[in-house]
Amino acid sequence: MCTKTDFTELDYINVLYGAVKDELTEKRLSHVVSVAKTAYRICCELKLSESDTKKTVTAAFLHDITKEKTTEEHMALCQKYGIELTENELRSPSVLHQMTGAPYAKEKLPLMVDDDVCGMISKHCTGGGGMTLCEKIVFLSDYIEPERRHEACKTLNDFYFNKRNGENIEKHLDKAVLLAYDNTVRNLKNKGAFIHPLTFIGFEEQKQTVDRKVI
């Protein structure tokens, strides 16, 4: 079970930091550390097992490992890893890093990155159907980490951490994930940007999840 050990005392943090520090700018590196800290806090509140917590923090730390690569570099990684891009990915290059990030992280840290961690990395941006609890934690942590400056992100951070009011914590998490989907869809629509179908799938499924969960 996750204990309230200080984040910096986790024995695997230095390994993760070393894996991403040369891949990212200082600003992006600060973001991934903040996402990992947020994910760890949520894992502890949910009393997840030590194993699930480690996997979730690992995915949170590595989720943007290929974020700053060029489109050409992403294309080369897709070819290397046998990733077949659909028209949807080609229309939304900003999500390529969740596709290349999982196998790239696994190549760099094969002993730490398993299929569960890959799943969390590969859904952190678009979301999608059938998300596990840990995948939802990384998805939400990326959205609400405290360094985010967008007002919707700050509002959702406050909602999740300060507005539970005794509600079942997993249902509260699901409500926050639903709001993250809703904000994302609204923002992309307002900008006239393409919305990946996986986001719509995850959004609709999350609505059903919240509707059927009991307090």
Side-chain angles (χ1 to χ4, degrees):
M1 182 179 293
C2 176
T3 62
K4 289 290 185 178
T5 303
D6 186 84
F7 178 82
T8 58
E9 295 176 4
L10 298 175
D11 59 6
Y12 51 91
I13 290 300
N14 287 338
V15 176
L16 296 172
Y17 187 86
V20 297
K21 68 180 180 67
D22 294 329
E23 303 280 354
L24 305 173
T25 60
E26 185 176 340
K27 181 178 180 181
R28 180 65 54 180
L29 183 59
S30 180
H31 162 71
V32 300
V33 172
S34 186
V35 173
K37 287 180 177 178
T38 303
Y40 179 66
R41 179 179 176 183
I42 295 174
C43 287
C44 289
E45 290 181 345
L46 288 166
K47 296 182 171 61
L48 295 193
S49 69
E50 183 177 348
S51 174
D52 283 346
T53 298
K54 182 175 181 179
K55 289 182 180 185
T56 305
V57 172
T58 296
F61 223 114
L62 301 175
H63 77 281
D64 272 353
I65 193 168
T66 60
K67 175 72 173 181
E68 295 181 329
K69 295 191 179 299
T70 65
T71 300
E72 291 73 20
E73 288 173 322
H74 282 301
M75 293 302 176
L77 288 175
C78 286
Q79 184 174 15
K80 176 181 180 179
Y81 299 126
I83 299 171
E84 295 184 9
L85 298 176
T86 68
E87 183 181 346
N88 294 322
E89 282 79 53
L90 294 174
R91 291 182 64 187
S92 51
S94 63
V95 309
L96 290 176
H97 70 286
Q98 76 172 19
M99 302 181 68
T100 59
Y104 189 81
K106 188 173 183 64
E107 182 179 7
K108 291 199 74 167
L109 295 173
L111 298 180
M112 296 182 70
V113 178
D114 62 8
D115 289 345
D116 292 334
V117 174
C118 285
M120 294 179 230
I121 295 173
S122 66
K123 289 184 178 178
H124 83 268
C125 187
T126 60
M131 290 178 74
T132 67
L133 177 59
C134 294
E135 287 171 351
K136 290 177 182 180
I137 292 171
V138 175
F139 176 80
L140 180 64
S141 298
D142 185 33
Y143 193 92
I144 68 171
E145 62 93 354
E147 292 189 7
R148 292 288 194 188
R149 290 293 171 259
H150 195 284
E151 197 60 39
C153 299
K154 293 192 288 185
T155 298
L156 189 52
N157 177 293
D158 179 62
F159 169 79
Y160 180 75
F161 288 113
N162 301 314
K163 303 291 175 59
R164 182 157 68 96
N165 299 324
E167 183 176 54
N168 174 281
I169 189 167
E170 284 196 37
K171 180 167 185 179
H172 186 65
L173 173 76
D174 276 320
K175 284 185 176 180
V177 171
L178 178 60
L179 288 170
Y181 272 120
D182 185 59
N183 290 342
T184 298
V185 169
R186 287 173 184 272
N187 183 49
L188 291 173
K189 282 184 175 179
N190 288 339
K191 294 192 297 186
F194 175 72
I195 304 174
H196 197 287
L198 286 175
T199 301
F200 283 121
I201 291 171
F203 188 21
E204 292 303 317
E205 185 176 290
Q206 195 63 19
K207 289 179 185 176
Q208 297 174 22
T209 297
V210 170
D211 286 343
R212 68 172 175 259
K213 281 225 171 161
V214 295
I215 296 177

